[in-house]
Amino acid sequence: MTTPPVAGTIVAVSETFYDVIVVGAGPGGATTAWKCAERGLRVLLLDRAAQLPRYKPCGGGIPASLATHVSGFEESERFADLSVTHLRHSWKGKDTVLAEMTTESGAPAHVWMVQRAHFDAWLVERAQAAGATVRTGVKVSDVAVSGETITVSTATGETFAARHVVGADGAKGIVGARVGLRLGKRWGIAREAEIPFETNAGGDNRFHADLHPGAAYLDYGSVPNGYAWIFPKRGFLSVGAGMLLPKKPAENEENNVGQVLRRAIDTMLASVGQTFPEGMDAPRIWGHPIPFWTGAEPLATADNRVLLVGDAAGVVQPMFGEGIQYAIRTGDVAADCLASGTVGEYTNRVRALFADEFDAALRIGKMFYRTPFLSYKLGVKNPAGTKLVGRLMAGEAHLHDLEQRIYERLRNPLKRKG
Ligand SMILES: Cc1cc2nc3c(=O)[nH]c(=O)nc-3n(C[C@H](O)[C@H](O)[C@H](O)COP(=O)(O)OP(=O)(O)OC[C@H]3O[C@@H](n4cnc5c(N)ncnc54)[C@H](O)[C@@H]3O)c2cc1C
């Protein structure tokens, strides 16, 4: 609960002393603020965006199994546009396979399609309703620990004080850098555009001969170390491409990477009979870094005063670049640690939840992207593979199960089932 600064600490601060200041109001920060406020902590949530909702380049795909991990996500119609139950895979726009995702019991496995502007604003509303104070247009420029007080300074000279700070400021966040966390971080890169799209006048709601709003589309082979996607939303398609396993950061910042991703987006659109709308040029295609999971670094400072969540903590599944559910889940764990006075356990709790899965994803990803054509033919198009994806999305299987299956197949290539 709220405790005043230790007497004698001299800092220029706002009048309120917070239990927690959360920097960044994306899924990670908004969830941290929501769950901390629910637990009775005095919370300030800051974002540099002038106002919310704000756009964030993102496909907006979230496995519905998130609701089994974090409370409050039961009514998906409040935050999701659509819910897909099929994946349509292709190799360079061709050789397609449409697969239904199902759970072990045969029920459809759902992946929510959220518009990030709407979804993030919905989360911030949850935080506000639980009692968090929210300020936008506040760009944090420094974080300094002095005795019992952490001072957060902004680009415009404002200061705020708290006992704890949570860095939820995304892939290139500054909070971690200011307190010596995630110093050697590396990124993949992705580009994304939102293409207006009306369902056809016939009213059957179909996008393309073999596709429908219940399917998300993934294309392999056009992007080295990555893939392209189309995630349907109401009234538009989120189309993008990403390179996920960087060799070194500089390579991914070269212009030709942007062009490779742009060509992959064009191929993806063409494969469903679409083109970039007239007049919609490169600036409307947003580039954004995707942090690279290493699992090696601590996610809180040694004095347990500053924690990182979501992209700022590098908690992104490294094979597909999926990060929303992990931002939310690390935010939930961070809030629990803050409210129960167990911040010292935070890094280990995050590792216990995700390290096995992410390490397996990294190994599978390296194998997959090194031999993408073979992986596509033998893995993605294999009915057992598509079945497993359904289990993964339903949270009933783990990537280390998939890794196990791959090694079994390599040991015994003639085995047809398993
Ligand atoms: C093109 C693309 C497509 C993607 N598609 C998917 C997908 O389909 N599914 C999925 O699960 N993941 C996807 N991801 C990853 C996903 O977008 C991220 O993992 C997710 O946004 C992480 O949430 P976060 O809250 O940690 O950070 P963010 O969403 O990046 O939020 C960080 C917030 O911090 C604020 N901020 C930054 N610096 C400061 C500062 N100095 N002061 C104050 N505020 C600051 C920003 O304004 C922002 O609001 C995609 C990523 C990219 C790039």
Side-chain angles (χ1 to χ4, degrees):
M1 296 296 284
T2 305
T3 318
V6 165
T9 306
I10 304 168
V11 280
V13 296
S14 67
E15 283 179 8
T16 311
F17 185 79
Y18 293 93
D19 294 315
V20 186
I21 294 176
V22 183
V23 182
T31 303
T32 309
W34 170 17
K35 300 295 174 178
C36 280
E38 263 186 358
R39 303 280 296 263
L41 300 182
R42 183 177 289 212
V43 185
L44 176 65
L45 175 61
L46 303 173
D47 202 284
R48 68 180 173 192
Q51 59 188 31
L52 300 174
R54 58 96 182 88
Y55 179 72
K56 156 78 174 76
C58 184
I62 310 175
S65 56
L66 171 65
T68 62
H69 299 292
V70 184
S71 62
F73 291 89
E74 294 78 16
E75 295 172 69
S76 63
E77 60 283 359
R78 297 179 68 182
F79 53 79
D81 267 22
L82 301 169
S83 180
V84 306
T85 52
H86 288 68
L87 289 179
R88 187 259 212 179
H89 304 277
S90 57
W91 174 261
K92 297 187 179 179
K94 300 192 173 77
D95 191 16
T96 61
V97 56
L98 182 66
E100 186 179 8
M101 296 180 283
T102 56
T103 64
E104 200 64 51
S105 66
H110 292 266
V111 177
W112 299 320
M113 297 282 120
V114 308
Q115 290 189 42
R116 281 293 302 272
H118 171 69
F119 180 68
D120 293 14
W122 177 80
L123 285 171
V124 170
E125 276 168 25
R126 303 276 72 69
Q128 270 177 312
T133 302
V134 179
R135 288 270 315 268
T136 54
V138 179
K139 183 175 181 186
V140 170
S141 55
D142 205 3
V143 175
V145 182
S146 163
E148 290 294 298
T149 302
I150 305 184
T151 306
V152 170
S153 314
T154 75
T156 53
E158 270 189 286
T159 53
F160 304 94
R163 182 169 300 286
H164 292 283
V165 167
V166 175
D169 45 351
K172 292 206 165 180
I174 62 118
V175 171
R178 291 290 185 273
V179 297
L181 295 173
R182 291 241 337 133
L183 292 176
K185 62 188 171 193
R186 298 155 71 199
W187 302 278
I189 188 150
R191 297 186 83 187
E192 167 100 12
E194 316 302 334
I195 311 283
F197 187 88
E198 290 307 325
T199 48
N200 70 23
D204 63 357
N205 226 20
R206 291 177 79 84
F207 290 170
H208 181 258
D210 59 342
L211 303 172
H212 52 81
Y217 321 136
L218 304 176
D219 184 68
Y220 312 88
S222 301
V223 180
N225 282 348
Y227 67 105
W229 63 84
I230 295 179
F231 286 178
K233 306 283 156 47
R234 257 190 227 122
F236 62 90
L237 304 173
S238 298
V239 51
M243 261 183 211
L244 298 162
L245 303 178
K247 288 205 174 86
K248 53 185 182 194
E251 280 183 32
N252 282 355
E253 279 153 20
E254 287 169 6
N255 275 341
N256 67 346
V257 171
Q259 284 161 17
V260 169
L261 295 178
R262 170 63 203 262
R263 275 198 297 275
I265 288 174
D266 287 339
T267 303
M268 190 77 213
L269 275 177
S271 82
V272 289
Q274 301 295 311
T275 51
F276 244 73
E278 195 86 3
M280 191 176 191
D281 51 13
R284 300 286 296 277
I285 308 179
W286 305 83
H288 199 277
I290 295 188
F292 187 68
W293 161 260
T294 66
E297 317 96 330
L299 304 179
T301 50
D303 60 7
N304 297 326
R305 308 291 300 284
V306 182
L307 298 78
L308 302 179
V309 303
D311 275 16
V315 189
V316 174
Q317 200 262 43
M319 187 175 172
F320 281 108
E322 181 200 348
I324 303 171
Q325 67 153 316
Y326 302 109
I328 289 169
R329 292 172 68 183
T330 49
D332 189 43
V333 174
D336 189 54
C337 289
L338 287 160
S340 59
T342 57
V343 175
E345 294 170 15
Y346 175 66
T347 299
N348 285 340
R349 281 183 65 180
V350 171
R351 282 197 188 133
L353 281 171
F354 307 124
D356 277 358
E357 190 72 352
F358 285 10
D359 291 347
L362 200 51
R363 290 188 293 268
I364 299 169
K366 281 182 180 161
M367 211 185 314
F368 186 96
Y369 294 127
R370 204 173 291 142
T371 54
F373 184 65
L374 266 186
S375 303
Y376 184 71
K377 287 285 188 192
L378 302 178
V380 177
K381 287 197 78 185
N382 182 329
T386 55
K387 230 184 204 175
L388 187 65
V389 170
R391 312 279 189 278
L392 285 169
M393 292 300 147
E396 291 178 347
H398 297 280
L399 279 166
H400 40 91
D401 301 332
L402 175 59
E403 192 179 26
Q404 199 69 27
R405 182 188 293 267
I406 293 169
Y407 286 128
E408 269 167 31
R409 287 300 286 257
L410 289 175
R411 269 196 301 268
N412 185 1
L414 296 179
K415 192 175 165 194
R416 300 192 67 84
K417 276 191 164 182

